[in-house]
Amino acid sequence: PFTYVKNTENTLATANVTLDGETIEGLDIEWSYTSSNGSVGSTNTATNAGTYYLVASTAKSNVYEVTSAAATVVINKAAIKTLTVAIAGWTYGDKANTPSVNGSPYTIIQNNVSYHYKGITLNGVSYDSDDAPAEAGFYTVTATVAETDNYYGASVTSQQFSITKAAVAATIAANTLSY
């Protein structure tokens, strides 16, 4: 029998065909698929996450008759890899610094990230908001990457950063007084 064996990456591009238990190389294979969302294609590049119902057909050759096999292939969502977030502190009254988030795939992360801040001010008031803090104190920021069609969501929290007190510039003007 003619069978389809998926590769370890769950893509169709390097699938193998076996005939009676032996891998057949050099066959022209025509793929057609229907995905779980109803899209239909005839290519070997179905790489988006989802369930695909495949039909692989071989062309007639000098050795083999035309034959086909059907299979279901699931391409799973991928995980965001090595997600990190960092932020430098600043001085009260200065513009807030922007968090730096990295990981793989970079474009997916940059286009789907949101931030949340938690901490405590130097006056002992708790802070918990999506907006960057402004008061002097100690804080962390959590970067959350939203789930997409092809990637699971992820989140990571930074090391503590601080907003330091601003220095006060005091000047004293000498005045002459008369009695």
Side-chain angles (χ1 to χ4, degrees):
F2 176 81
T3 59
Y4 160 81
V5 180
K6 68 181 179 180
N7 65 1
T8 57
E9 290 85 29
N10 273 347
T11 62
L12 309 181
T14 57
N16 297 316
V17 173
T18 62
L19 180 63
D20 296 326
E22 293 195 32
T23 300
I24 306 298
E25 295 183 16
L27 280 179
D28 289 328
I29 300 172
E30 181 178 306
W31 296 98
S32 64
Y33 68 87
T34 305
S35 70
S36 56
N37 68 7
S39 64
V40 177
S42 60
T43 178
N44 65 349
T45 58
T47 56
N48 289 326
T51 302
Y52 294 87
Y53 309 99
L54 305 175
V55 176
S57 303
T58 61
K60 185 176 181 177
S61 71
N62 291 337
V63 182
Y64 300 105
E65 292 292 325
V66 174
T67 187
S68 65
T72 300
V73 174
V74 176
I75 299 177
N76 295 316
K77 289 184 179 192
I80 300 292
K81 296 177 185 171
T82 61
L83 185 64
T84 62
V85 63
I87 188 170
W90 61 92
T91 301
Y92 174 80
D94 290 349
K95 181 180 176 201
N97 288 322
T98 302
S100 171
V101 63
N102 287 297
S104 178
Y106 186 77
T107 303
I108 296 296
I109 293 168
Q110 295 303 311
N111 291 334
N112 295 285
V113 68
S114 61
Y115 300 105
H116 188 82
Y117 300 85
K118 285 187 177 185
I120 190 161
T121 69
L122 293 181
N123 294 329
V125 177
S126 293
Y127 188 83
D128 189 351
S129 175
D130 290 343
D131 297 322
E135 299 295 319
F138 301 97
Y139 305 92
T140 59
V141 61
T142 298
T144 300
V145 178
E147 185 169 326
T148 68
D149 290 342
N150 290 319
Y151 291 91
Y152 291 109
S155 64
V156 64
T157 300
S158 72
Q159 295 291 324
Q160 182 174 287
F161 69 94
S162 63
I163 301 174
T164 58
K165 290 181 180 181
V168 176
T171 59
I172 299 174
N175 290 328
T176 305
L177 299 174
S178 302
Y179 289 100

